[in-house]
């Protein structure tokens, strides 16, 4: 028995979503290594935690955007002023969310082993969820 066209289309959309999410996670892991490595390096250089987080976030999200545009969402280069403006708005927003969540977590989580890493993970996870949803549904959505 053949699947109906609606079922086949739904299966195709689900398959595309899973593939995008898998690539997004892989790209995110690479970008997270960039972000976390820079963050730790700057902390070891005695830079204030929020400034270190801000710099590392910019580096990590720049890498993530470039890789996601090319590999996750297969978007052509450029994309016009609308895509660039969307990127600036999204990453500007998640920049403040990421740095803010990190600062709040540092205040709320008691001093313990891996505290900085735990706070970084919480901030990163929050920003990553926002980024995937907006990149997929707004910035790189298929026309």
């Amino acid at each position: 028995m053949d699947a109906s066209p609606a079922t086949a289309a739904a299966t195709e959309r689900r398959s595309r979503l899973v593939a995008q999410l898998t690539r997004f996670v892989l790209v995110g892991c690479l970008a997270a290594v960039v972000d976390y490595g820079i963050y730790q390096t700057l902390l070891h250089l005695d830079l204030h935690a929020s400034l270190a987080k801000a710099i590392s976030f910019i580096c990590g999200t720049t890498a993530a955007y470039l890789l996601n545009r090319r590999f996750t969402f297969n978007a052509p280069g450029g994309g016009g002023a609308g895509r660039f403006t969307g990127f600036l708005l999204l990453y500007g927003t998640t920049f403040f969310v990421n740095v803010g969540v990190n600062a709040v977590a540092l205040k709320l989580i008691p001093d313990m082993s891996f505290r900085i890493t735990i706070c970084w993970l919480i901030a990163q996870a929050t920003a990553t969820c926002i980024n995937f949803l907006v990149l997929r549904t707004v910035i790189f959505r298929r026309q």
Side-chain angles (χ1 to χ4, degrees):
M1 181 178 198
D2 291 331
S4 72
T7 303
T11 301
E12 173 63 28
R13 282 192 305 275
R14 195 173 313 115
S15 176
R16 192 175 330 128
L17 173 62
V18 169
Q20 281 182 339
L21 191 54
T22 300
R23 289 188 304 263
F24 186 80
V25 168
L26 292 173
V27 165
C29 288
L30 178 61
V33 168
V34 170
D35 183 334
Y36 189 70
I38 290 171
Y39 182 57
Q40 286 296 318
T41 300
L42 294 174
L43 289 176
H44 286 295
L45 295 173
D46 290 329
L47 206 62
H48 186 274
S50 289
L51 183 56
K53 186 66 184 113
I55 292 168
S56 71
F57 177 83
I58 290 168
C59 294
T61 54
T62 299
Y65 174 78
L66 295 172
L67 292 169
N68 277 317
R69 183 187 78 199
R70 173 81 171 125
F71 299 110
T72 303
F73 300 104
N74 298 317
R83 182 178 289 162
F84 184 69
T85 300
F87 163 75
L88 290 178
L89 290 172
L90 171 62
Y91 282 80
T93 301
T94 56
F95 168 81
F96 288 108
V97 168
N98 192 305
V99 173
V101 167
N102 190 68
V104 169
L106 286 169
K107 296 270 187 213
L108 295 176
I109 295 177
D111 196 15
M112 65 171 150
S113 185
F114 301 111
R115 175 177 163 255
I116 289 175
T117 301
I118 292 166
C119 295
W120 180 88
L121 285 168
I122 293 168
Q124 192 66 26
T126 303
T128 298
C129 290
I130 294 167
N131 283 340
F132 181 75
L133 290 172
V134 176
L135 285 172
R136 185 173 199 284
T137 61
V138 178
I139 296 175
F140 296 125
R141 81 171 177 259
R142 296 204 187 264
Q143 302 301 334

